[in-house]
Amino acid sequence: MDCLFCSIISGEIPSTKVYEDDEILAFKDINPLASVHVLIIPKKHISGINEITSENAEIVAKIFTKIPEITRILSVNESGYRVVSNCGKDGCQSVNHLHFHILGGEKLSEKMC
Ligand code: AMP
Ligand code: ZN
């Protein structure tokens, strides 16, 4: 399967990793929109939010369980941060592998869009 984030997981495409375990990977976004901008992805390919099911939802819970730890690594846990997941065309999803943006390190816009 031709998937950019699967290639990052395999190491075929380099990334700046900030957290990794057997099931998830967090790495710096190549085009940061805030001074801290990290993507958290499941290692198992899921195309996006619309593909979350009761069979694979455990990994989504795992990602959210790890966010406090990952944001501590990024030193934004106490200052605050935003978690974003874009879905589909209107949501401006550009990579079809489920991912959660962590944005922080500065005061973010009060506008969500
Ligand atoms: P989205 O637009 O929500 O699908 O998010 C995809 C994100 O992947 C964008 O913020 C891109 O900047 C980021 N991105 C694309 N290619 C790479 C890459 N090779 N390494 C790190 N981040 C990437
Ligand atoms: Zn993938």
Side-chain angles (χ1 to χ4, degrees):
M1 196 195 316
D2 193 18
C3 170
L4 176 65
F5 287 175
C6 283
S7 299
I8 284 178
I9 291 160
S10 71
E12 198 183 321
I13 293 177
S15 68
T16 305
K17 296 176 185 179
V18 299
Y19 174 85
E20 182 173 24
D21 63 29
D22 288 349
E23 294 176 308
I24 73 173
L25 174 65
F27 57 98
K28 290 187 178 174
D29 195 293
I30 205 167
N31 181 28
L33 299 178
S35 48
V36 170
H37 188 172
V38 160
L39 301 171
I40 309 178
I41 62 175
K43 287 192 169 176
K44 181 175 177 290
H45 181 90
I46 298 171
S47 300
I49 293 175
N50 283 344
E51 282 67 45
I52 296 173
T53 65
S54 49
E55 278 71 44
N56 64 22
E58 212 173 299
I59 193 61
V60 180
K62 160 91 186 257
I63 287 172
F64 275 82
T65 305
K66 284 288 173 187
I67 285 176
E69 181 180 339
I70 293 169
T71 53
R72 276 194 290 274
I73 292 167
L74 298 170
S75 302
V76 298
N77 181 274
E78 288 185 18
S79 51
Y81 54 89
R82 184 171 288 159
V83 182
V84 174
S85 188
N86 297 323
C87 183
K89 189 161 69 69
D90 284 357
C92 299
Q93 180 179 5
S94 63
V95 179
N96 290 329
H97 182 126
L98 182 66
H99 52 283
F100 297 91
H101 298 256
I102 303 289
L103 297 151
E106 62 188 90
K107 177 79 174 155
L108 301 173
S109 167
E110 289 183 8
K111 289 187 178 177
M112 289 281 281
C113 56

PDB file of all heavy atoms in Angstrom, residues 24-39:
ATOM      1  N   ILE A  24       2.200   2.768  18.549  1.00  0.00           N
ATOM      2  CA  ILE A  24       2.006   4.149  18.070  1.00  0.00           C
ATOM      3  C   ILE A  24       3.343   4.858  17.862  1.00  0.00           C
ATOM      4  O   ILE A  24       4.375   4.464  18.410  1.00  0.00           O
ATOM      5  CB  ILE A  24       1.093   4.971  19.023  1.00  0.00           C
ATOM      6  CG1 ILE A  24       1.809   5.331  20.322  1.00  0.00           C
ATOM      7  CG2 ILE A  24      -0.204   4.244  19.319  1.00  0.00           C
ATOM      8  CD1 ILE A  24       0.982   6.283  21.209  1.00  0.00           C
ATOM      9  N   LEU A  25       3.285   5.906  17.061  1.00  0.00           N
ATOM     10  CA  LEU A  25       4.468   6.728  16.788  1.00  0.00           C
ATOM     11  C   LEU A  25       4.048   8.196  16.831  1.00  0.00           C
ATOM     12  O   LEU A  25       2.985   8.560  16.315  1.00  0.00           O
ATOM     13  CB  LEU A  25       5.012   6.378  15.387  1.00  0.00           C
ATOM     14  CG  LEU A  25       6.171   7.233  14.850  1.00  0.00           C
ATOM     15  CD1 LEU A  25       7.424   7.044  15.687  1.00  0.00           C
ATOM     16  CD2 LEU A  25       6.468   6.885  13.390  1.00  0.00           C
ATOM     17  N   ALA A  26       4.883   9.021  17.442  1.00  0.00           N
ATOM     18  CA  ALA A  26       4.682  10.475  17.420  1.00  0.00           C
ATOM     19  C   ALA A  26       5.928  11.106  16.817  1.00  0.00           C
ATOM     20  O   ALA A  26       7.056  10.751  17.188  1.00  0.00           O
ATOM     21  CB  ALA A  26       4.434  10.998  18.835  1.00  0.00           C
ATOM     22  N   PHE A  27       5.728  11.993  15.863  1.00  0.00           N
ATOM     23  CA  PHE A  27       6.867  12.616  15.168  1.00  0.00           C
ATOM     24  C   PHE A  27       6.512  14.043  14.802  1.00  0.00           C
ATOM     25  O   PHE A  27       5.326  14.412  14.710  1.00  0.00           O
ATOM     26  CB  PHE A  27       7.248  11.807  13.910  1.00  0.00           C
ATOM     27  CG  PHE A  27       6.140  11.619  12.915  1.00  0.00           C
ATOM     28  CD1 PHE A  27       6.049  12.449  11.787  1.00  0.00           C
ATOM     29  CD2 PHE A  27       5.163  10.649  13.093  1.00  0.00           C
ATOM     30  CE1 PHE A  27       5.023  12.294  10.875  1.00  0.00           C
ATOM     31  CE2 PHE A  27       4.123  10.491  12.180  1.00  0.00           C
ATOM     32  CZ  PHE A  27       4.060  11.313  11.071  1.00  0.00           C
ATOM     33  N   LYS A  28       7.552  14.858  14.578  1.00  0.00           N
ATOM     34  CA  LYS A  28       7.333  16.273  14.279  1.00  0.00           C
ATOM     35  C   LYS A  28       6.729  16.454  12.894  1.00  0.00           C
ATOM     36  O   LYS A  28       7.162  15.808  11.925  1.00  0.00           O
ATOM     37  CB  LYS A  28       8.652  17.043  14.370  1.00  0.00           C
ATOM     38  CG  LYS A  28       9.154  17.160  15.791  1.00  0.00           C
ATOM     39  CD  LYS A  28      10.365  18.069  15.887  1.00  0.00           C
ATOM     40  CE  LYS A  28      10.807  18.199  17.334  1.00  0.00           C
ATOM     41  NZ  LYS A  28      12.052  18.949  17.484  1.00  0.00           N
ATOM     42  N   ASP A  29       5.741  17.343  12.802  1.00  0.00           N
ATOM     43  CA  ASP A  29       5.157  17.683  11.507  1.00  0.00           C
ATOM     44  C   ASP A  29       6.203  18.437  10.680  1.00  0.00           C
ATOM     45  O   ASP A  29       6.893  19.329  11.177  1.00  0.00           O
ATOM     46  CB  ASP A  29       3.907  18.540  11.697  1.00  0.00           C
ATOM     47  CG  ASP A  29       3.053  18.616  10.437  1.00  0.00           C
ATOM     48  OD1 ASP A  29       3.523  19.208   9.437  1.00  0.00           O
ATOM     49  OD2 ASP A  29       1.933  18.077  10.450  1.00  0.00           O
ATOM     50  N   ILE A  30       6.311  18.073   9.410  1.00  0.00           N
ATOM     51  CA  ILE A  30       7.330  18.668   8.533  1.00  0.00           C
ATOM     52  C   ILE A  30       7.021  20.139   8.216  1.00  0.00           C
ATOM     53  O   ILE A  30       7.926  20.900   7.850  1.00  0.00           O
ATOM     54  CB  ILE A  30       7.447  17.823   7.232  1.00  0.00           C
ATOM     55  CG1 ILE A  30       8.814  17.975   6.595  1.00  0.00           C
ATOM     56  CG2 ILE A  30       6.324  18.118   6.257  1.00  0.00           C
ATOM     57  CD1 ILE A  30       9.096  16.959   5.507  1.00  0.00           C
ATOM     58  N   ASN A  31       5.774  20.533   8.381  1.00  0.00           N
ATOM     59  CA  ASN A  31       5.364  21.905   8.075  1.00  0.00           C
ATOM     60  C   ASN A  31       4.624  22.474   9.288  1.00  0.00           C
ATOM     61  O   ASN A  31       3.399  22.612   9.287  1.00  0.00           O
ATOM     62  CB  ASN A  31       4.449  21.887   6.830  1.00  0.00           C
ATOM     63  CG  ASN A  31       4.004  23.264   6.419  1.00  0.00           C
ATOM     64  OD1 ASN A  31       4.705  24.247   6.674  1.00  0.00           O
ATOM     65  ND2 ASN A  31       2.826  23.354   5.828  1.00  0.00           N
ATOM     66  N   PRO A  32       5.388  22.795  10.351  1.00  0.00           N
ATOM     67  CA  PRO A  32       4.733  23.142  11.622  1.00  0.00           C
ATOM     68  C   PRO A  32       3.871  24.395  11.553  1.00  0.00           C
ATOM     69  O   PRO A  32       4.276  25.410  10.992  1.00  0.00           O
ATOM     70  CB  PRO A  32       5.915  23.335  12.588  1.00  0.00           C
ATOM     71  CG  PRO A  32       7.118  23.517  11.735  1.00  0.00           C
ATOM     72  CD  PRO A  32       6.854  22.828  10.439  1.00  0.00           C
ATOM     73  N   LEU A  33       2.686  24.296  12.140  1.00  0.00           N
ATOM     74  CA  LEU A  33       1.748  25.419  12.175  1.00  0.00           C
ATOM     75  C   LEU A  33       1.764  26.101  13.544  1.00  0.00           C
ATOM     76  O   LEU A  33       1.057  27.077  13.757  1.00  0.00           O
ATOM     77  CB  LEU A  33       0.333  24.929  11.836  1.00  0.00           C
ATOM     78  CG  LEU A  33       0.173  24.301  10.448  1.00  0.00           C
ATOM     79  CD1 LEU A  33      -1.253  23.809  10.248  1.00  0.00           C
ATOM     80  CD2 LEU A  33       0.560  25.294   9.351  1.00  0.00           C
ATOM     81  N   ALA A  34       2.561  25.588  14.462  1.00  0.00           N
ATOM     82  CA  ALA A  34       2.764  26.195  15.784  1.00  0.00           C
ATOM     83  C   ALA A  34       4.167  25.799  16.216  1.00  0.00           C
ATOM     84  O   ALA A  34       4.778  24.913  15.603  1.00  0.00           O
ATOM     85  CB  ALA A  34       1.723  25.679  16.774  1.00  0.00           C
ATOM     86  N   SER A  35       4.692  26.441  17.259  1.00  0.00           N
ATOM     87  CA  SER A  35       6.089  26.138  17.617  1.00  0.00           C
ATOM     88  C   SER A  35       6.252  24.682  18.049  1.00  0.00           C
ATOM     89  O   SER A  35       7.312  24.104  17.883  1.00  0.00           O
ATOM     90  CB  SER A  35       6.644  27.122  18.644  1.00  0.00           C
ATOM     91  OG  SER A  35       5.758  27.285  19.691  1.00  0.00           O
ATOM     92  N   VAL A  36       5.187  24.094  18.587  1.00  0.00           N
ATOM     93  CA  VAL A  36       5.165  22.636  18.781  1.00  0.00           C
ATOM     94  C   VAL A  36       4.058  22.075  17.887  1.00  0.00           C
ATOM     95  O   VAL A  36       2.899  22.494  17.998  1.00  0.00           O
ATOM     96  CB  VAL A  36       4.903  22.268  20.264  1.00  0.00           C
ATOM     97  CG1 VAL A  36       4.651  20.776  20.405  1.00  0.00           C
ATOM     98  CG2 VAL A  36       6.061  22.726  21.138  1.00  0.00           C
ATOM     99  N   HIS A  37       4.433  21.181  16.979  1.00  0.00           N
ATOM    100  CA  HIS A  37       3.448  20.556  16.090  1.00  0.00           C
ATOM    101  C   HIS A  37       3.909  19.126  15.827  1.00  0.00           C
ATOM    102  O   HIS A  37       4.878  18.884  15.095  1.00  0.00           O
ATOM    103  CB  HIS A  37       3.319  21.333  14.770  1.00  0.00           C
ATOM    104  CG  HIS A  37       2.191  20.853  13.901  1.00  0.00           C
ATOM    105  ND1 HIS A  37       1.795  21.500  12.744  1.00  0.00           N
ATOM    106  CD2 HIS A  37       1.366  19.776  14.005  1.00  0.00           C
ATOM    107  CE1 HIS A  37       0.789  20.858  12.194  1.00  0.00           C
ATOM    108  NE2 HIS A  37       0.508  19.803  12.934  1.00  0.00           N
ATOM    109  N   VAL A  38       3.210  18.216  16.463  1.00  0.00           N
ATOM    110  CA  VAL A  38       3.581  16.798  16.392  1.00  0.00           C
ATOM    111  C   VAL A  38       2.371  16.004  15.923  1.00  0.00           C
ATOM    112  O   VAL A  38       1.218  16.383  16.191  1.00  0.00           O
ATOM    113  CB  VAL A  38       4.085  16.345  17.796  1.00  0.00           C
ATOM    114  CG1 VAL A  38       4.038  14.847  17.968  1.00  0.00           C
ATOM    115  CG2 VAL A  38       5.495  16.879  18.042  1.00  0.00           C
ATOM    116  N   LEU A  39       2.632  14.928  15.209  1.00  0.00           N
ATOM    117  CA  LEU A  39       1.566  14.034  14.746  1.00  0.00           C
ATOM    118  C   LEU A  39       1.674  12.719  15.509  1.00  0.00           C
ATOM    119  O   LEU A  39       2.788  12.197  15.675  1.00  0.00           O
ATOM    120  CB  LEU A  39       1.718  13.759  13.246  1.00  0.00           C
ATOM    121  CG  LEU A  39       1.690  14.990  12.340  1.00  0.00           C
ATOM    122  CD1 LEU A  39       2.080  14.608  10.911  1.00  0.00           C
ATOM    123  CD2 LEU A  39       0.307  15.638  12.355  1.00  0.00           C
TER     124      LEU A  39
END
